């Protein structure tokens, strides 16, 4: 396979899917999935092309390396692989790497794009031997397609239904051996029978700051941007453990360095640039801070219901719940309790606010029970 050719196609295909895959956040957010073509092309260009270039995720990388090496030695096709983890951690990147390491072509599609079992049958029956089928957002596939996939994964066979009604017949169709790579941000939503049919499951973790620094230095080299080590550290610390965000912030800081300075990214330039883009020292952006500020200032730290909180910041419930909250919860700034959302002592400290009398000495803790 010619990597560059196929990569262009893949980028186009992914762009086509973007609205479905994005499904999160407003367009001006720096952390959401991007729909902009040029940015996508840059993202594709920054993708590591083999396991050696892939930073971090030591466990997954080592395990996957063994799976692929063994398959290569046998001259066979690699077992089906499931990759799970938050957006932007490298699932798509790894799937492209799997194909590259196996010197196999790759077909890219996604759960939401497969409405009918017939759509899947068409894809499966046109696979070449050894081809990698990348199924993004696999948890969003329709039920009938899922059932067809079970058989395809296990027996490399599908039943194609011909005709309608009582006259319909199922024609079994042999498939060439292929490798399914499924990706999901919500592994918990996968039905167990599907999960069990994967020979290998890699769970992607958030990246350590030192790993993100390596990602940033690598990307800076590819973008031909000069960056000092403290500048990279500054960006890494605000990237929410996510390479996609690290790369995006790097590009915005590069813009600033180019327009406002001599193009070199220093610690000072990085922190001034990120202030312009409303990304604070901990990586919170405007929406995150709006949610926290409302929670603390308007509702005294909670508990307050999600809908009320969403109205207070003028956003959809889903945006607050799926875009802002996961990061705030992970950072220990916000807690979801049965009685509603609660700001933690760390949230008060982060925004430089003082909790109302009586909360300071710790009754907050009581809210976390149950
Ligand atoms: N381990 C890594 N080393 C270097 N760069 C990485 C790594 N993982 C991801 N990236 C970079 O982050 C960007 C996003 O990665 P990718 O698209 O693979 O994420 P994803 O897990 O598929 O996200 P989503 O769930 O939104 O589809 C890529 O452009 C890639 O350059
Ligand atoms: Mg992806």
């Amino acid at each position: 396979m010619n990597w560059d050719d196929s990569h262009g196609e893949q980028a186009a295909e992914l762009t086509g899917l973007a609205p479905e895959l994005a499904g999160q956040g407003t367009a001006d957010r720096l952390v959401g999935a991007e729909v902009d073509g040029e940015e996508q092309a840059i993202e594709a260009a920054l993708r590591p092309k083999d396991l050696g270039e892939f930073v971090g995720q030591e466990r997954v990388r080592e395990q996957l390396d063994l799976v692929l090496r063994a398959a290569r030695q046998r001259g066979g096709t690699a077992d089906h692989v499931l990759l799970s983890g938050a957006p932007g951690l490298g699932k798509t990147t790894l799937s492209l790497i799997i194909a590259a390491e196996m010197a196999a072509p790759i077909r890219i599609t996604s759960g939401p794009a497969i409405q009918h079992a017939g759509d899947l049958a068409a894809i499966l029956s046109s696979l070449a031997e050894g081809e990698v089928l990348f199924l993004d957002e696999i948890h969003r596939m329709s039920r009938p397609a899922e059932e067809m996939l079970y058989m395809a994964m296990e027996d490399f066979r599908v039943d194609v239904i011909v005709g309608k009604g009582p006259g319909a017949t199922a024609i079994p169709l042999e498939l060439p051996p292929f490798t399914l790579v499924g990706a999901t941000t919500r592994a918990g939503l996968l039905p167990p029978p599907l999960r069990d049919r994967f020979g290998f499951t890699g769970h992607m973790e958030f990246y350590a700051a030192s790993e993100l620094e390596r990602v940033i230095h690598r990307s800076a080299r590819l973008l031909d941007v000069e960056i000092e080590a403290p500048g990279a550290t500054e960006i890494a610390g605000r990237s929410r453990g996510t390479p996609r965000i690290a790369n995006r912030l790097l590009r915005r800081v590069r813009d600033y360095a180019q327009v406002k300075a001599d193009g070199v990214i220093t610690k000072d330039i990085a922190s001034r640039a990120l202030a312009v883009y409303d990304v604070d020292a901990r990586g919170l952006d405007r929406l995150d801070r709006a949610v926290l500020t409302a929670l603390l200032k308007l509702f005294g730290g909670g508990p307050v219901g999600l809908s009320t909180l969403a109205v207070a910041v003028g956003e959809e419930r889903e945006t607050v719940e799926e875009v802002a909250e996961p990061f705030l919860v992970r950072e220990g700034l916000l807690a979801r309790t049965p009685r509603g959302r609660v700001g933690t002592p760390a949230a008060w400290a982060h925004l430089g606010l003082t909790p109302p009398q009586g909360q300071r000495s710790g009754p907050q803790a009581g809210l976390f029970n149950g």
Side-chain angles (χ1 to χ4, degrees), residues 11-352:
E13 201 166 348
L14 286 173
T15 308
L17 297 171
E20 280 159 357
L21 295 180
Q24 46 179 290
T26 42
D28 66 334
R29 283 173 60 85
L30 287 164
V31 297
E34 254 161 340
V35 280
D36 183 68
E38 191 194 329
E39 296 267 305
Q40 286 236 342
I42 295 177
E43 184 162 278
L46 294 180
R47 285 210 155 100
K49 308 251 187 286
D50 57 43
L51 278 180
E53 277 184 49
F54 195 81
V55 174
Q57 307 290 345
E58 301 299 338
R59 249 185 105 68
V60 173
R61 223 179 44 196
E62 190 183 342
Q63 294 165 341
L64 199 55
D65 186 45
L66 280 172
V67 171
L68 300 180
R69 245 176 232 276
R72 277 201 304 265
Q73 272 176 15
R74 289 192 301 267
T77 305
D79 223 340
H80 305 305
V81 174
L82 178 65
L83 301 171
S84 74
L89 297 188
K91 298 179 296 297
T92 300
T93 306
L94 261 192
S95 74
L96 295 168
I97 289 177
I98 290 171
E101 296 268 343
M102 295 303 291
I106 182 168
R107 187 85 55 93
I108 298 181
T109 185
S110 77
I114 298 173
Q115 296 290 340
H116 310 286
D119 300 337
L120 183 63
I123 295 170
L124 290 170
S125 59
S126 66
L127 289 175
E129 181 167 348
E131 189 157 0
V132 171
L133 173 61
F134 177 52
L135 235 170
D136 211 352
E137 297 296 294
I138 190 170
H139 62 272
R140 294 176 61 194
M141 208 170 29
S142 75
R143 211 46 226 249
E146 209 171 82
E147 271 156 25
M148 174 179 279
L149 194 59
Y150 294 163
M151 206 205 289
M153 289 171 79
E154 213 158 59
D155 305 329
F156 296 106
R157 196 164 64 86
V158 288
D159 281 337
V160 180
I161 310 290
V162 181
K164 278 201 166 91
T169 40
I171 302 181
L173 186 71
E174 296 284 322
L175 303 173
F178 66 96
T179 300
L180 176 70
V181 179
T184 179
T185 47
R186 317 273 294 270
L189 294 184
L190 279 193
L194 179 56
R195 221 170 19 201
D196 295 346
R197 280 171 170 80
F198 285 96
F200 169 73
T201 299
H203 182 74
M204 322 269 296
E205 306 284 348
F206 286 99
Y207 291 68
S210 60
E211 293 168 339
L212 291 179
E213 284 174 32
R214 278 162 57 204
V215 171
I216 291 166
H217 280 297
R218 175 180 175 277
S219 300
R221 224 171 19 251
L222 291 173
L223 294 172
D224 207 10
V225 177
E226 199 177 324
I227 185 166
E228 294 180 356
T233 307
E234 189 69 26
I235 299 172
R238 304 187 191 204
S239 300
R240 302 169 165 230
T242 307
R244 174 180 291 138
I245 298 175
N247 281 339
R248 192 162 306 160
L249 295 183
L250 170 67
R251 301 200 302 271
R252 297 294 77 80
V253 173
R254 170 204 56 186
D255 294 347
Y256 183 95
Q258 180 191 318
V259 174
K260 301 273 191 184
D262 58 357
V264 180
I265 299 177
T266 62
K267 177 177 163 55
D268 182 50
I269 289 287
S271 87
R272 286 204 325 240
L274 292 170
V276 169
Y277 291 109
D278 271 324
V279 177
D280 77 12
R282 235 171 138 155
L284 275 65
D285 67 13
R286 198 172 357 178
L287 174 65
D288 303 321
R289 269 199 313 280
V291 168
L292 268 196
T293 307
L295 178 58
L296 303 189
K297 281 193 171 167
L298 299 179
F299 306 108
V304 61
L306 173 62
S307 307
T308 310
L309 192 56
V311 170
V313 295
E315 288 284 351
E316 300 289 327
R317 253 177 84 97
E318 289 72 27
T319 307
V320 172
E321 185 172 29
E322 288 165 28
V323 181
E325 284 190 352
F327 176 64
L328 296 175
V329 169
R330 184 155 60 81
E331 286 288 293
L333 296 169
L334 179 145
R336 291 168 169 164
T337 75
R339 291 165 58 206
R341 273 48 176 176
V342 174
T344 65
W348 290 98
H350 184 65
L351 291 190

